[in-house]
Protein backbone atom coordinates (compact mmCIF):
# COMPACT_ATOMS: atom_id res chain seq x y z
CA UNK A 1 0.00 0.00 0.00
CA UNK A 2 1.11 3.54 -0.73
CA UNK A 3 0.73 4.60 2.88
CA UNK A 4 3.14 1.87 3.96
CA UNK A 5 5.71 3.07 1.44
CA UNK A 6 5.24 6.64 2.68
CA UNK A 7 5.80 5.65 6.31
CA UNK A 8 8.82 3.48 5.44
CA UNK A 9 10.30 6.45 3.59
CA UNK A 10 9.90 8.55 6.73
CA UNK A 11 6.86 10.60 5.78
CA UNK A 12 4.12 11.20 8.30
CA UNK A 13 1.42 11.72 5.67
CA UNK A 14 0.52 10.25 2.33
CA UNK A 15 0.05 13.72 0.83
CA UNK A 16 3.60 14.76 1.77
CA UNK A 17 5.05 11.59 0.26
CA UNK A 18 3.15 11.83 -3.01
CA UNK A 19 4.04 15.53 -3.35
CA UNK A 20 7.73 14.77 -2.71
CA UNK A 21 7.73 11.83 -5.13
CA UNK A 22 6.23 13.96 -7.92
CA UNK A 23 8.70 16.79 -7.26
CA UNK A 24 11.64 14.40 -7.41
CA UNK A 25 10.58 12.26 -10.37
CA UNK A 26 8.07 14.34 -12.31
CA UNK A 27 5.74 11.35 -12.15
CA UNK A 28 2.82 10.58 -9.87
CA UNK A 29 3.53 7.61 -7.58
CA UNK A 30 0.47 5.75 -8.86
CA UNK A 31 1.64 6.24 -12.46
CA UNK A 32 5.09 4.97 -11.49
CA UNK A 33 3.64 1.82 -9.89
CA UNK A 34 1.43 1.22 -12.93
CA UNK A 35 4.36 1.69 -15.33
CA UNK A 36 6.56 -0.73 -13.38
CA UNK A 37 3.80 -3.35 -13.30
CA UNK A 38 3.08 -3.02 -17.02
CA UNK A 39 6.76 -3.17 -17.98
CA UNK A 40 7.21 -6.29 -15.85
CA UNK A 41 4.10 -7.86 -17.38
CA UNK A 42 5.31 -7.08 -20.89
CA UNK A 43 8.64 -8.71 -20.13
CA UNK A 44 6.95 -11.84 -18.76
CA UNK A 45 4.65 -12.03 -21.78
CA UNK A 46 7.58 -11.71 -24.18
CA UNK A 47 9.49 -14.43 -22.37
CA UNK A 48 6.57 -16.85 -22.51
CA UNK A 49 6.02 -19.81 -20.23
CA UNK A 50 3.17 -18.22 -18.26
CA UNK A 51 -0.43 -17.69 -19.21
CA UNK A 52 -2.10 -14.29 -18.83
CA UNK A 53 -3.60 -15.19 -15.45
CA UNK A 54 -0.16 -16.14 -14.10
CA UNK A 55 1.38 -12.95 -15.46
CA UNK A 56 -1.42 -10.92 -13.88
CA UNK A 57 -0.78 -12.53 -10.50
CA UNK A 58 2.99 -12.10 -10.84
CA UNK A 59 2.61 -8.33 -11.19
CA UNK A 60 0.09 -7.95 -8.38
CA UNK A 61 -3.35 -8.34 -9.93
CA UNK A 62 -5.83 -10.69 -8.31
CA UNK A 63 -8.34 -10.35 -11.15
CA UNK A 64 -7.10 -11.24 -14.66
CA UNK A 65 -9.86 -9.14 -16.23
CA UNK A 66 -8.65 -6.04 -14.35
CA UNK A 67 -5.12 -6.80 -15.51
CA UNK A 68 -6.21 -7.19 -19.13
CA UNK A 69 -8.10 -3.88 -18.98
CA UNK A 70 -5.09 -2.07 -17.48
CA UNK A 71 -2.69 -3.68 -19.96
CA UNK A 72 -4.90 -2.74 -22.90
CA UNK A 73 -5.13 0.83 -21.67
CA UNK A 74 -1.35 1.05 -21.26
CA UNK A 75 -0.24 -0.74 -24.47
CA UNK A 76 -3.33 -0.31 -26.66
CA UNK A 77 -3.61 -4.08 -27.17
CA UNK A 78 -4.53 -7.03 -25.02
CA UNK A 79 -1.86 -9.23 -23.41
CA UNK A 80 -2.35 -12.16 -25.80
CA UNK A 81 -1.99 -9.95 -28.88
CA UNK A 82 1.07 -8.27 -27.33
CA UNK A 83 2.70 -11.68 -26.82
CA UNK A 84 1.93 -12.74 -30.39
CA UNK A 85 3.29 -9.48 -31.76
CA UNK A 86 6.52 -9.68 -29.75
CA UNK A 87 7.07 -13.34 -30.48
CA UNK A 88 6.41 -12.81 -34.18
CA UNK A 89 3.45 -15.17 -34.35
Amino acid sequence: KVIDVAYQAGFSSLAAFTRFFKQQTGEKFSDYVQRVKMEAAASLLERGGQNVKEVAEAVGYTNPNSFTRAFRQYYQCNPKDYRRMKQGL
Side-chain angles (χ1 to χ4, degrees):
K1 291 185 177 186
V2 179
I3 193 71
D4 295 334
V5 173
Y7 289 143
Q8 288 178 1
F11 289 89
S12 60
S13 77
L14 180 58
F17 170 73
T18 56
R19 209 172 23 257
F20 177 80
F21 190 89
K22 174 117 185 193
Q23 287 171 346
Q24 296 300 307
T25 66
E27 185 175 28
K28 291 190 323 186
F29 185 74
S30 59
D31 292 343
Y32 167 78
V33 170
Q34 183 72 358
R35 179 173 56 80
V36 169
K37 284 182 175 186
M38 292 299 109
E39 289 173 359
S43 178
L44 291 170
L45 289 165
E46 289 174 34
R47 222 178 302 150
Q50 293 178 300
N51 63 38
V52 172
K53 182 177 187 254
E54 292 167 334
V55 170
E57 290 172 353
V59 298
Y61 283 83
T62 56
N63 183 327
N65 293 329
S66 294
F67 166 72
T68 296
R69 238 184 336 273
F71 192 92
R72 188 180 308 120
Q73 183 177 4
Y74 194 84
Y75 285 107
Q76 286 77 51
C77 67
N78 69 45
K80 288 181 182 179
D81 290 343
Y82 182 88
R83 173 179 277 159
R84 284 188 203 111
M85 180 179 64
K86 291 298 183 174
Q87 292 180 342
L89 301 176

